[in-house]
Amino acid sequence: MRAHPAGPLHGGMTPPPSVGLPPADLGALDPQVWPRSAQRVDGELHLGGRPVTELARAHGTPLFVLDEADFRGRAADFAAAFDGADVHYASKAFLCGQVARWIADDGLHLDACSGNELALALAAGFPAERIALHGNNKSLVELQLAVDSGIGHVVLDSFDEIDRLVPMAAARVAAGGAPVPVLIRTTVGIEAHTHEFIATAHEDQKFGFSLATGDALTAAVRVIREPALRLTGLHSHIGSQIFDTAGFEAAAHRVVGLLGQVWQATGEVLGELNLGGGFGIAYLPEEDPVSPDDVARRLRSVVAAECAALDLPVPRLAVEPGRAIAGPGTVTLYEIGTIKPVRLGSGGQGAPQVRNYVSVDGGMSDNIRTALYDASYTCVLANRTSDAPPALCRVVGKHCESGDVLVRDLWLPADVQPGDLLAVAATGAYCWSMASNYNYLLKPPVVAVREGVATEVVRRQTLSDVFALDAVLADVPAPSPAIDQPAPEHPAGARS
Ligand SMILES: Cc1ncc(COP(=O)(O)O)c(C=O)c1O
């Protein structure tokens, strides 16, 4: 447990720095990690053809800067690699009206994990028939929205949900509508993360119908016998940030086995197989994700081989990448507020004796992943380069929580100072979408950049927005000048 309330660090809480030797160039932008448009111009980071100082001045910090060409390029890479299959963008990674329109225009499908994600996509004009609704506890209202709007699939997750959906589907059929297309989400007993996967007989988790207990087969048989539902196929999702296709291959083996069992039990040959998302991205330069082409080739060949072994026709494949489309193209810009050198206990020989706590103007409210998952990020000094020697740093937020860490250990130039801008890479997935108002910090805006044009696709939340929810404060004016709009130039301004 690293995260704990504010207060003195508990003895033994501080692990030794887990950072390697400083890189030769502290300002380098590794193409694995940084958006495709990222480059340094006269030392300054430019994204989508716009200098970061200008973006920060115009929109404030913290600021999510989304490289549109990167996002759409990665979506197109998946669509091309999985030609003839369905690529669903897992919108939980990051969704707003503009993203829903890009995904719609570029011909992909979209996964929603809640009625509100579904409502947002529909409100943005996303074609309902290309949307799938996930969730282990869909409410009656959520299911009704799915049925009424005619979405492509409801991904069934429990027997209770089947009981809830059937009367709604029956009402639709009675009114002359079509049966509701559904997938069965299976729990295949594979848990995969990064380079490892574990295959177990059953999984102790909340999603899906277990294959090992026979629930998945029971559910499939039940749904097939239900005239108001149309079972089109099976679904499995095995984990996240996966770099190795072996876990998908093991899952495909098991889920194709279930296709065979369904066929034997009912004579139905299901035509769709959705193998979920979880394709990894590089958060650090040393990470080396599998390309969409390689993933597609491996998955196709494994599914074809498994189907051949069971004498089944090969189903239409679907995948649900979220992070691999949204993650790498976005950068979070922060302004440094304070820097505090903290003496470390006596490290090993040559180990750094001081760690600089570099505090920025956001934190775990705009990126909870480091605190929640011990995720690794990298960042650079963004408004300039520096020849100063490397200093061991920890980038932390401004929350009242000592676990409020963004980048645990990294090297930054020793002359970083308040007013400098830091850019944290690969923050496009599960950062803005998991943002909170902890300590009443406000959700940052998202600015899309492309070929020199910057467009705010989500505006900054204001204190007035938050006051409006409060029964006592709804009509009280927020302080002026707005606390939530950082001053364009820091008093100690090092920004050029
Ligand atoms: C069912 C399902 N599909 C797709 C995804 C997207 O995963 P990722 O963003 O890692 O690709 C998730 C994420 O948890 C998921 O639960």
Side-chain angles (χ1 to χ4, degrees):
M1 268 291 277
R2 278 214 186 84
H4 65 107
L9 283 177
H10 301 165
M13 281 282 299
T14 310
S18 57
V19 67
L21 292 173
D25 176 0
L26 291 177
L29 304 170
D30 190 299
Q32 284 273 73
V33 174
W34 292 90
R36 290 174 179 174
S37 72
Q39 56 173 326
R40 290 221 182 244
V41 179
D42 297 330
E44 180 176 354
L45 175 63
H46 283 222
L47 297 163
R50 294 295 293 254
V52 289
T53 49
E54 232 184 83
L55 291 168
R57 229 185 325 267
H59 303 278
T61 51
L63 174 65
F64 286 95
V65 185
L66 190 174
D67 177 344
E68 177 187 342
D70 184 297
F71 184 105
R72 298 179 82 168
R74 288 175 202 275
D77 292 347
F78 267 97
F82 282 92
D83 188 26
D86 295 328
V87 178
H88 294 236
Y89 170 59
S91 70
K92 60 197 279 192
F94 174 62
L95 183 63
C96 66
Q98 185 62 74
V99 160
R101 290 200 174 152
W102 290 339
I103 293 292
D105 291 348
D106 297 346
L108 279 76
H109 294 230
L110 183 137
D111 282 349
C113 282
S114 71
N116 287 348
E117 283 182 359
L118 171 58
L120 190 148
L122 292 171
F126 201 94
E129 66 280 4
R130 282 197 263 144
I131 302 179
L133 180 63
H134 280 277
N136 64 301
N137 184 17
K138 304 177 191 78
S139 69
L140 288 172
V141 173
E142 290 174 315
L143 288 171
Q144 194 67 60
L145 177 63
V147 170
D148 292 347
S149 53
I151 68 167
H153 289 102
V154 175
V155 186
L156 294 172
D157 199 279
S158 68
F159 289 110
D160 287 332
E161 185 185 337
I162 298 175
D163 292 342
R164 278 177 210 151
L165 184 60
V166 165
M168 295 177 193
R172 177 164 114 173
V173 171
V180 173
V182 297
L183 296 175
I184 298 270
R185 178 159 176 174
T186 64
T187 312
V188 290
I190 307 285
E191 178 76 32
H193 296 284
T194 311
H195 291 294
E196 287 171 348
F197 79 90
I198 311 164
T200 57
H202 68 280
E203 258 183 43
D204 189 4
Q205 53 119 323
K206 69 176 184 173
F207 292 109
F209 294 93
S210 166
L211 231 132
T213 62
D215 279 358
L217 180 60
T218 307
V221 172
R222 165 142 189 234
V223 170
I224 284 168
R225 294 192 176 139
E226 192 54 68
L229 301 180
R230 183 164 61 87
L231 181 62
T232 64
L234 302 176
H235 177 280
S236 91
H237 171 79
I238 56 170
S240 60
Q241 189 53 1
I242 303 168
F243 283 4
D244 191 321
T245 54
F248 290 107
E249 292 164 22
H253 169 71
R254 291 186 175 186
V255 82
V256 170
L258 179 60
L259 285 179
Q261 289 174 20
V262 172
W263 176 47
Q264 277 172 2
T266 66
E268 284 282 327
V269 178
L270 302 179
E272 290 177 20
L273 186 58
N274 186 325
L275 291 172
F279 312 109
I281 65 167
Y283 285 100
L284 301 175
E286 59 268 27
E287 290 171 330
D288 193 13
V290 191
S291 72
D293 279 339
D294 285 346
V295 175
R297 196 163 13 84
R298 285 302 308 149
L299 292 190
R300 281 187 210 281
S301 91
V302 167
V303 170
E306 296 294 335
C307 288
L310 294 178
D311 216 10
L312 282 170
V314 177
R316 185 175 177 86
L317 273 186
V319 286
E320 302 173 331
R323 184 194 315 269
I325 290 176
T330 291
V331 160
T332 314
L333 288 181
Y334 300 98
E335 184 174 289
I336 298 174
T338 63
I339 299 178
K340 196 180 288 179
V342 172
R343 275 182 61 80
L344 303 175
S346 53
Q349 253 202 342
Q353 298 298 305
V354 170
R355 178 189 276 125
N356 292 307
Y357 277 78
V358 177
S359 295
V360 297
D361 49 0
M364 63 196 299
S365 56
D366 60 69
N367 185 351
I368 187 73
R369 294 191 65 257
T370 308
L372 191 60
Y373 306 126
D374 207 10
S376 301
Y377 284 93
T378 190
C379 75
V380 292
L381 177 59
N383 50 310
R384 62 188 174 95
T385 46
S386 162
D387 293 331
L392 178 69
C393 292
R394 173 165 293 172
V395 180
V396 297
K398 61 179 285 161
H399 290 277
C400 194
E401 191 86 29
S402 52
D404 174 24
V405 174
L406 290 166
V407 186
R408 194 165 298 287
D409 288 306
L410 89 161
W411 301 100
L412 287 172
D415 65 349
V416 287
Q417 53 188 296
D420 272 330
L421 292 178
L422 285 185
V424 177
T427 57
Y430 308 109
C431 291
W432 191 92
S433 63
M434 294 175 104
S436 75
N437 286 129
Y438 184 44
N439 296 146
Y440 280 113
L441 262 62
L442 303 166
K443 293 188 191 173
V446 182
V447 169
V449 287
R450 177 166 201 148
E451 292 169 10
V453 178
T455 311
E456 200 163 83
V457 294
V458 183
R459 77 154 163 81
R460 183 179 298 280
Q461 193 181 31
T462 65
L463 198 51
S464 307
D465 293 334
V466 177
F467 276 16
L469 301 173
D470 188 302
V472 171
L473 304 177
D475 298 322
V476 177
S480 175
I483 294 169
D484 45 302
Q485 201 63 59
E489 292 297 338
H490 195 279
R495 228 194 265 175
S496 53

